Amino acid sequence: MKLATLKDGSRDGQLVVVSRDLKTAHYATDIAGKLQTALDDWHFLAPQLQDLYDALNAGRARHPFAFDPRQCMAPLPRAYQWADGSAYVNHVELVRRARGAEMPPEFWTDPLMYQGGSDDLLGPCDDIVCASEAWGIDFEAEVAVITGDVRMGATPEQAAEGIRLLMLANDVSLRNLIPAELAKGFGFFQSKPATAFSPVAVTPDELGEAWRERKVHLPLTVWWNSKKVGSPDCGTDMVFDFGQLIAHICKTRNVRAGSIVGSGTISNVDRSKGYCCIAEKRTLETIESGAPVTPFMQYGDAVKIEMFDAQGRSIFGAIDQVVAAPA
């Protein structure tokens, strides 16, 4: 099924069920007013949401209305946790090579991960507000999952059973703030502003055969100022699957319902697939010619991120954002 959260003036919005073709929706208020409520009691409430979803797709829902992604908040507008991995080690290797740094061998066996801000997540069409263009504004197109409860010490197989929903993410980075933060030895903070998510979150069964090996085996397409810049396959070159990423978090703690775990920037070894973040393009330019040429985003720039199934139908709807100065 497909779920979204509509803006209603509150912090958590209103949960709706969205049709498979993303054209209509139906309020889920009688079942769960917000997504976190559904996640907290998933095994009881999810079947009821599924029944409403089936009725909506069959034209039997009582009060359907036109679905407008511009009215969406993030599916989970504020989450108990937002942990972002770096499952595409090719991306990490390129970035380190460009600055002449060795690639530690453990990066291929132990996932990199940082904990981002989860109290203010952006809707798919919300502006990327940044106080300065000089900070190096960059998009990062990713896939993310929302979990149920997963116990401490869970294996990757057990952790994968906690995956409830999938969605797309734009994990915005301020590249020119990153070096000074990493030099402190304490990781990202100011260089990682609010993350945006796709209009809808979907259950894994919606992906059909494209969901296997705990990965999404479909391309993720990115347009920058209406120009297609990348369409790498999410299943290719993903060194750590979502079960492994969740298990990495679970090594020393429980993961609770309403946690979001990201894949990191999608990146393929095949350069013809393009890029999902500007930093990777600049890295390749540095490796090839000694210096980057492509600039970071400026005010007024637009980024669009979307995934299509084998029949060319949008699965999650599009993240469609514009970079803006503070009001």
Side-chain angles (χ1 to χ4, degrees), residues 58-221:
R60 295 185 283 103
R62 295 179 64 185
H63 303 294
F65 57 88
F67 178 62
D68 183 359
R70 294 170 297 181
Q71 298 303 314
C72 286
M73 304 174 78
L76 197 58
R78 48 180 176 168
Y80 284 110
Q81 178 168 220
W82 160 230
D84 196 21
S86 192
Y88 298 85
V89 183
N90 170 67
H91 172 74
V92 181
E93 193 272 336
L94 284 174
V95 172
R96 293 183 68 86
R97 194 198 317 171
R99 66 172 191 257
E102 288 290 326
M103 180 74 166
E106 61 268 22
F107 279 20
W108 293 96
T109 57
D110 191 29
L112 290 172
M113 188 167 287
Y114 86 93
Q115 191 144 33
S118 60
D119 55 332
D120 182 28
L121 302 176
L122 299 181
C125 301
D126 292 345
D127 287 346
I128 300 169
V129 178
C130 188
S132 173
E133 294 175 316
W135 287 347
I137 308 164
D138 196 359
F139 53 82
E140 288 194 52
E142 306 185 10
V143 177
V145 299
I146 302 176
T147 77
D149 289 328
V150 183
R151 66 172 178 79
M152 181 170 57
T155 65
E157 293 74 20
Q158 293 167 337
E161 294 176 3
I163 296 173
R164 300 288 181 253
L165 298 161
L166 295 101
M167 52 188 178
L168 306 181
N170 180 17
D171 178 41
V172 178
S173 290
L174 304 178
R175 298 294 182 184
N176 294 338
L177 299 185
I178 289 178
E181 286 206 308
L182 293 185
K184 295 178 181 179
F186 227 52
F188 303 122
F189 198 85
Q190 291 178 335
S191 52
K192 286 292 187 176
T195 303
F197 293 91
S198 52
V200 302
V202 312
T203 48
D205 61 284
E206 287 292 325
L207 296 173
E209 287 300 312
W211 176 250
R212 61 184 188 274
E213 302 163 335
R214 307 188 293 256
K215 305 175 184 178
V216 178
H217 291 267
L218 286 170
L220 183 59
T221 305

Side-chain angles (χ1 to χ4, degrees), residues 201-272:
V202 312
T203 48
D205 61 284
E206 287 292 325
L207 296 173
E209 287 300 312
W211 176 250
R212 61 184 188 274
E213 302 163 335
R214 307 188 293 256
K215 305 175 184 178
V216 178
H217 291 267
L218 286 170
L220 183 59
T221 305
V222 180
W223 295 265
W224 180 13
N225 292 333
S226 301
K227 178 185 177 182
K228 182 178 175 181
V229 296
S231 193
D233 184 84
C234 298
T236 304
D237 303 317
M238 187 180 190
V239 176
F240 305 104
D241 63 52
F242 279 109
Q244 291 172 298
L245 292 176
I246 299 168
H248 180 78
I249 306 173
C250 290
K251 181 175 181 177
T252 60
R253 66 182 79 173
N254 295 311
V255 169
R256 293 307 186 193
S259 293
I260 304 173
V261 181
S263 66
T265 306
I266 312 300
S267 178
N268 285 173
V269 174
D270 182 355
R271 304 288 180 253
S272 70

